[in-house]
Structures are given as C-alpha cells and as structure tokens.
Amino acid sequence: MEILMCILGGALFAAGIYLLLQRQLLRIILGTALVSHGAHLLILTMGKLNRGAPPVLGEGIGHYTDPLPQALILTSIVISFGVTSFLLVLAYRAYQKNRTDMMDQLRGTEDE
Amino acid sequence: MFLYYIALPFIAAFLLFLFSRSLSKTFHTGWLVAIVPFVLFILFLTNSSEISEGQPVASLTNWIPSMGIQLSFYLDGLSLLFTLLITGIGFLVVLYSVFYLSKKENLIHFYIYLLLFMGSMLGLVMSDNLFVLYTFWEFTSISSFLLIGFWSHRARSVYGALKSMMITVFGGLCMLGGFLLLWVATDTTSIREIISQKEELMASPLFMPILLLVLLGAFSKSAQFPFHTWLPDAMEAPTPVSAYLHSATMVKAGIYLVARLSLLFSGSDLFFLCVSGFGLVTLCWGSFMAVRQTDLKGILAFSTISQLGMIMSMLGFGSEAAIFAAVFHIFNHATFKGSLFMVAGIVDHETGTRDIRKLGGLMTFMPITATLAFFGTFSMAGFPLPIFNGFLSKEMFFDASLQTASPSGLARQTAPLFPYLAVLGSIFTFVYSMYLFFGTFRGKVQLHQLEKKPHEAPFGMLIPPFLLVCFIVVIGVLPNLINERLLAPAAGAIAGNSIHIHVAFWHGIKPPLIMSLIVVTAGALLFVFKRYWEIIYRYLPGKLSADKAYQAFLNRLLRAAKKITGSYMTGSLSLYLAIIVLFLVCVTAGMMAVTGGFAFSTADLSPVKWPEVITGVSMLIAAVATIFMKRRIAAVIVIGVVGYGLSLLFVLFRAPDLALTQLIIETVTVVLFLLCFSHLPVMKPNSKPLRSRVADVLISLAAGTLITLVAISSHSSKWFQPISDYFVKTSYSLGGGKNIVNVILVDFRGLDTMFEITVLGLAALGIYGMIKIRLRKKGGMEQ
C-alpha cells in the first residue's frame, strides 16, 4: 500500500509543479494546493499505514497507528490553509490593481 | 619606533580632517602639510649613518600574532633610499603644490589623500612582513585612485582613476596570491626569513607560480608592458601628483618589490628572462610611443614607463654592476623626472596648455624654466656631459647589458640580444627628450594659440624643480658624493653582499661609450628628420595598443556579463521555477546515484485494499484533470475532489482528526476560491508555446518521479524505531488525554501549535490589511 501511496504523492507533486509552471496566477495557486496535498500524503505514508487502531486510547487495544505524523500534518494543513488564503487575496488584489493575472505581464518595471 | 614614523602622515591626515573647518583661509594648507615630510626626511637621514655601516634598524609591534602577522618594519639600505626619496620629493612636491593649486580647490581633501599616500608608501618600503607589505600596497592603490580622480567633475579623471585602480588592484591581488603561496611554502611571513630559506624554495614546485604571481603584481604597479596603459591616463591627476606618484614613488613600488625579493629569485632563468625581457620591451615600447605624444605629460608618462623598464631590466641582469646601476638610476630618475613634471606643470600653469603643438619658443618668456628643463631633458636623454647624472647611469646600464649574469639555457641564448635592445630604446629616449625640450622652448612662438600671455612662474614654484636640478648637476659632477652613504648600502641590500663601485665620468673608450655615441648620433639624426618617418606611427601602434586591448577586454566583459545575466534573469516566474525544480532534481538524483541511495523493499508494507486504491485512483484522475480544466468552477471542483479524496484517505488510514480538519479546511478553501472568482478573470487557455509546454511536462514528470523514488527509498530503508511508543504510553499518564494526536499538539509539542496559530493570525491580519489599504485609498481619492 505504501508504494502505491508514494506513487500517488509523486503524481500529485507532478501535477502541482506543472500548474506552478503556468502563466496564470490562478493556476499557480491551484498548483500550490496540489503540492501541499501531496506533501501531507507523503508524511502520512512515511509513518507507515494501517498498523493498528486510530490513535485514541481505548481498552484492550495493542497497536495504534503512529500519532506523530498525524500531529505534524495537522499543523501543516493549517499553515498551508493560511498561506493559500493569503495568496488568493493577493491574487485578487493584484488583479484589481493591474487588471491582469498573467504572470508574464506582471513583471515590474525595468529600473525596479 | 618606525611604527610612529609611518603613523605620522596618517595622524597628520586625521588632524587635517578634524581641523578642516578651523583652518584659516588666509594661508595655504600646504605650508602646514610640508612639515610632515620635512620632519620625516630629517628623521630618516639621522638613521643613515648606522645603515651605511651595514646595520639595519628594525622595530616590531604585534598586530595579529595568532597568524604570525606583525607590524615589523626595518630599515636597510634599500628601504632608506626609498624613504628618503618619498619624504624628500614629498616635501618638494608639497611645496610646489602650494604654488600650483589655488586656495579655491578642495585643498583639505588633496592633502589628506597625499598624506595617506605618503604614509602607505613609507609602510610599503619598510615592511618586513608580507601581508603588512600587501596592506600598504593596496593603500597606495587606493590613495592613488583618490588622487588621480581629484578633479572628479572631469570625465577623463574618473576614467583614468578607475583604470589605474583596476589594473593595479588586479596586480595586487595576483601578488597576494603569490604571497600566500610563499607563506605556504616557507611557513613564515617575514621577508628576511623567507630569503634565508631560498634553497628550499628554489626546489619547491611552488616556486614558479610564486615568481610569476609576484612579478605580475610588480609589473602592473610599475607600469611594465603590457600593463603600462594605466599610467598615461593617470596624467589627468594634478601635476604635483603626477610628479610625486607617477615618477618618483608609487611606480617604483614594483621596482622596490623586485629589488627586495631579488635575493630570493635571482639565479633562476625565469626571473632573468621575465624581468630583463619585459623590462627591455617596456623600455623600447615606452620610448617609441613617447615620441608620438603631443601632451607634455603624455610624453613624460611614456618616458616614465620606458625608464622604469630600464631599471627593471637592470634588476633582471643580476650582476653586481647592474644592481648598482639600477639603484643609481632609481635615484637619478626620481630627480630628473620629478623636475620635468614640475616644469610641465609650470608651462601648463603659465600658458594654459600642455599641447606641444601649440607651444614653442618659450625660452624668451621663461628663461629659468627653460634652463631647468634643459638639465632635466638632457639628463633623461643621457647626453654625454659630466653635468648630467642621467648619462652616468645610462653608461652603467649599457655596461651592465653587455655583462649579464646569464646562467644557462634559453637565458644564455637571449642575453646577447639585450645590448641591441638597450641601444634601440635609448635612441628613442634621446629623440623624445630632444622633442620635449626643443618643441616647448625653441622654435616659433604661437601666441594666438595660448590662453594666457606666457611669463615666468612665481619664485616659489621654481624652487622645488631647482633643487632637483641641483641634484642632477651635483651628482653629475660628483657622482661619488652619495655613493657610500646611500647607493652602496642600497645595492648591498639587493645583492646580499656589499657592492662598492666607483662611478666615474671617463672610463676610456670602451663599448659603453661607443654605444652612447651611437645613441646620440642616431637620436639626433632621427630627431632632425622626425617629420619624414613619423608616418610609421600610423602603422605600428595601429591596433596593437594596450589601451585598445584593455578597452576591448572591458567592453566584452561587460557585454558578456550583461548577456549572461539577461539570458536567465528574464523576469519570468515560470522560468525561475523551472530552473529551481531542475536543479533540485539533478542534485538529488545525482546525489542518490553517487551514494547508491535508491532502495526498494517490500518487506514492511501494509496490504493493498480496494477502497483505498479506488480513492487513490480517483484522486490521481482529478489531479491530472485539474491541468486540463478550461473553466474555473470546474477546476475548483476537480481540485476539491483531490482534497476530499485526501480526507477520505485519512479516514481509511485511521486519522480521524486529520480527516475532520481536512474536510473543513477543504470546504473553506473552496468557498474562498469561489469568493475570489467573482473578482478574478476567467481562466484562460494555456498560452505557452508547444515547446515550452513539453518542457513543463518533462520537468514536472521528472520532479514527480524523483519524489516518488525518494519516498519509496526512504520508506524501504528505515533504520530506527519510531518514538511514537512513548507518546502512546505516556499520553494519558503525563498528558491526561486519550486522544494522542491532540495531546501531542497541545502538550508534547505545544510550541508548534502556538506558532501555527500565529501563522493563521498573521495571514488574517495580512488579508485584512490588503483589503483595508485599498479601501482607504479609494476613500482618499473620493475626498
């Protein structure tokens, strides 16, 4: 199962990076979302999958899945959400100001 | 003790800076400054008797003892000669500048730079430590840069200053490389100790690089071919500066270095060939080019180049007579070239031009100046009369060129050529000297071309060149006057054993005298018929000039740098990203290939189950589909599929908190996307050309593959047990909670959470700010 998840994570990264290489700001933001999904999936996979019960203590359970990666991912999800929302508003403001969201037109001036 | 001598000009410069405002405008600042070199000159003179007895004086102060770098200074014959030149001519130059520069100039700056230069030059010639020497070496480059660019409102001055800076600092850095190698090879930074290890060093494989690097430094500082090109451009400096730096002191720093280290290098063929070869080429080329100049200072600049070449070649010859002649000529050149520069300054000052084509017949207007120039130029030409010191050293030069200490091999074969080159260079020296004198002071007066009516210079301006001319004549008549006190110890310091040569005017009819006569005859003929052969200058420097080479090199360098930078700094974000990703892929893949990091093991895998596979496949399809979506809503929904799929996976992999969070966050994100959409433009089709699209696909596939491989490899090679057992065991007993993930978040690793909250808060504030700023602006515009 881990191998399959690694492949899926890699595929999410590939799709995300392809979107990041595009010219429209919107696609780039979508790309960052895909890349962070891929990263979260990989963190979980690296902590081994399906090795016991959910990490909530209960009676008579011997094995739990690894709780540490889950805590890490939880932190990461929140942070990437914060960044994504900031990016979105940034894109919105950039579009309002410059009337374009094509990256090759948002280059700044020569003597910047 | 010497530390204070060297510090004196620096302290004086600092005092000048401190009291720059309170100095009264009624008298010239130069009068105050002149005290410094005068006092130093007297101080160094008092040391001379000890040194002439062969006892160097040393002083040592710790600077960076951990690296063996000490401020160790010592005064032997060679250093004494240079310190006396620096302070003596320094005094005369300051005196001259009092009359040359008007009080309206920025005198404080001028004298501060000049004092800095004087101090660093003194430090240079007295240092025993390699790195202290280098420090002062670069100080002279910097202060000379400031002095050349003194009239910084003139474009030519700035150009000249920059050029001299680039070339001398290039040489200085090469020299530093040589010094570092010397340090590595001998494990000491003291020059005297290094010289004592000569035998081991000669055998070391580092010897050749050391020699070449150090010589590069010396050649570029002393304006040897092909680095001479900075010196003519440095003539934009005020004339006192040219007289001081570019005739008597700084340009002799390279000579000093070669002389100082000649005990170390002499005896090797490479040293002989390089130093005398380049010296003679410089002598010939410099004197040949000097005839072509029309600017008085231009002639003098090329003449300095050729005279420096002559001194350099004598140091290369290596015989005792040659070294003595070199020392003698260092002194003589300083006297006549200093006086000639001052004369050129006087002519410029009193007529308003330095262009020799506009000058002529000034003898009747400026008889004293003309007399001074007569002695200077004829001494420079080596005219065979016993009143010119230049003749004596030129005779010795010819003599030395005939008896070179050529050890073996190639050096032995080339040595017979040297006398011919020496004569050739001297012929042109004679021609430009005559041209300089007769072109300026004889012939027809062209009053209409002059800005002012020429008249004799003020008395004070004539005194410094007069004193220098006195030296020319006195040394010419009584050449042995300074022999025992000054020249013999200096030559002795270079050669390592004491040299006593009796200088005399008349040796009898010997080859040197015949060579001198050839020079005078051929030179006179060439001078008289100058207009007939001048045409050669159109062809010979032609495209070969070092100035053009420098300019072309600089232009190409700048153009290439601009082109290279422009080729990748295009401002296109996707290009930068592609470079970053490609670099990451190459480095990681390369590293893994080199270290054999790829691993694949199926030993510790959980079983494949269908629900997970189906979810995964649908996520994969959705992710790929995101790329092809043409409508925004569709893209957001498809990316939502990935997010919800991920939360489904979290459920299947038994991570309830993650699933919850992911669900909520995904929903909020989608809502946010939708909110922004009403303000964002519609999705545009991919406008990239096909080729870069293919490249994008390849790059992202490579990155994805690599990440998969890294993930599989790292999963397949787990070396340690996870620490999660600890969390499971102590979650309740230490943390008091049964939800282990939550206990980790708020208890075991609470700091993470705190700052994650900070991140969210900052993002919220940022978003608020971005929107708010817009509103305020709008309000402002409405008002």
Side-chain angles (χ1 to χ4, degrees), chain B residues 195-217:
Chain B
I195 288 174
S196 68
Q197 296 188 24
K198 177 181 173 157
E199 301 300 320
E200 296 98 274
L201 196 72
M202 288 278 263
S204 141
L206 288 176
F207 181 75
M208 201 167 93
I210 290 173
L211 176 64
L212 291 177
L213 285 171
V214 170
L215 283 186
L216 259 180

Side-chain angles (χ1 to χ4, degrees), chain A residues 21-22 46 51 57 66, chain B residues 604 686 688 718 724 738:
Chain A
L21 290 169
Q22 300 309 301
M46 290 301 105
R51 297 296 203 288
L57 293 176
D66 196 337
Chain B
D604 186 25
N686 191 344
K688 279 191 164 184
K718 282 217 167 102
S724 303
K738 291 190 175 176

